[in-house]
Amino acid sequence: MMDDQALLRYSRQIMLPEVDIEGQERLQSAHAVIIGAGGLGSPAALYLAAAGVGRITIADADHVELSNLQRQIAHQHASIGLNKAHSAQASMQALNPHCHVVALDQHVEGEPLERLIASADVVLDCTDRFSSRYAVNAASQKAGVPLVSGAAIRFSGQLAIFDPRNTECPCYACLYPPDESGDEALSCSESGVMAPLVGLIGCFQAVEAFKLLSGAGSAHQGLSTFDGLSGQWRHFQVPRDPACPVCAQRR
């Protein structure tokens, strides 16, 4: 049960009929896993902590560098040299001390990644490498946990929800078959990125995770892309690949 302080803290959400007390309590009892504490993970983590998600695990093996501060808003100048997961944890708990944040300062893969995602109610992929995205997607599909996937590079961003509980929903490998993607995705350090763009996509991820956890509204369908130079959104319906090596066997 929420006390008076919690009722006041979350009052602007509770007054929304789609959320109400029940939705806020679902948020408080939920566990969100965020893989990546960089440009996308920073706003997603801060907003989910502020919104009252009860438990958040954030994982990142990298350390804060000066060049990160242009866009990775969970970190401060004083955070340079610190592990990103621990830096983000400090920012999240400073924002909302009632949110239980677990920081994993390592690259989580294999069986530990599967166990971590299986313990979650939603997972947010905020990484920038195909290898990481495929691993997170496979673990999400295996555990039956919805995946909120975001990406941003240069002036372009995209978001998709891959929910294995929905038999018609594709997975990340349906959208980007492993044999067609190459070894690695372009990274911001290699190609550059507009600072507010990662905030936009990371916030979009937080919105979708909020809805999935609280029960408000309905989850985003298909793939949305954003062109930061023109300011235009485009939406694509993405069918499930019946021959997908990751999700076909689950149907």
Side-chain angles (χ1 to χ4, degrees):
M1 297 294 293
M2 287 182 284
D3 58 21
D4 289 344
Q5 286 293 312
L7 289 170
L8 180 60
R9 177 184 286 270
Y10 306 120
S11 59
R12 300 306 188 270
Q13 286 174 180
I14 293 171
M15 70 172 56
L16 298 170
E18 297 85 356
V19 179
D20 210 339
I21 291 286
E22 291 78 9
Q24 190 64 49
E25 289 177 340
R26 282 192 287 269
L27 287 173
Q28 286 192 276
S29 64
H31 178 205
V33 167
I34 302 173
I35 307 297
L40 299 173
S42 287
L46 291 174
Y47 267 111
L48 290 180
V53 175
R55 181 183 174 202
I56 300 175
T57 299
I58 186 162
D60 200 312
D62 292 341
H63 292 76
V64 180
E65 300 176 359
L66 180 60
S67 61
N68 299 149
L69 301 183
Q70 162 253 7
R71 64 197 179 281
Q72 299 181 14
I73 60 170
H75 314 303
Q76 312 296 320
H77 188 84
S79 306
I80 292 174
L82 298 179
N83 168 261
K84 288 184 181 180
H86 287 291
S87 174
Q89 177 190 42
S91 297
M92 294 159 71
Q93 292 187 321
L95 188 62
N96 187 354
H98 303 291
C99 177
H100 177 59
V101 183
V102 177
L104 301 179
D105 56 1
Q106 57 191 303
H107 180 65
V108 187
E109 56 187 347
E111 191 173 315
L113 177 64
E114 292 182 357
R115 289 198 304 268
L116 175 62
I117 290 179
S119 72
D121 298 295
V122 68
V123 56
L124 287 77
D125 183 351
C126 300
T127 65
D128 63 357
R129 295 289 177 181
F130 276 123
S131 55
S132 298
R133 292 173 183 168
Y134 286 129
V136 172
N137 175 70
S140 164
Q141 290 292 314
K142 183 176 181 179
V145 174
L147 168 62
V148 182
S149 177
I153 196 73
R154 301 189 181 109
F155 292 93
S156 301
Q158 66 178 43
L159 179 132
I161 311 300
F162 305 110
D163 192 342
R165 302 170 302 177
N166 180 349
T167 58
E168 300 301 318
C169 187
C171 79
Y172 185 83
C174 293
L175 183 59
Y176 297 106
D179 57 350
E180 297 179 11
S181 63
D183 291 335
E184 294 294 339
L186 293 172
S187 69
C188 295
S189 62
E190 298 164 344
S191 304
V193 66
M194 179 177 66
L197 177 69
V198 293
L200 177 70
I201 301 300
C203 287
F204 199 167
Q205 290 182 269
V207 166
E208 293 303 318
F210 179 102
K211 292 191 297 181
L212 286 164
L213 295 176
S214 69
S218 56
H220 177 273
Q221 301 292 319
L223 170 70
S224 285
T225 63
F226 179 72
D227 183 340
L229 288 176
S230 68
Q232 292 184 334
W233 285 96
R234 298 184 67 189
H235 184 74
F236 305 89
Q237 292 298 327
V238 181
R240 186 178 67 83
D241 180 1
C244 175
V246 176
C247 71
Q249 59 188 357
R250 296 195 69 252
R251 312 307 180 190

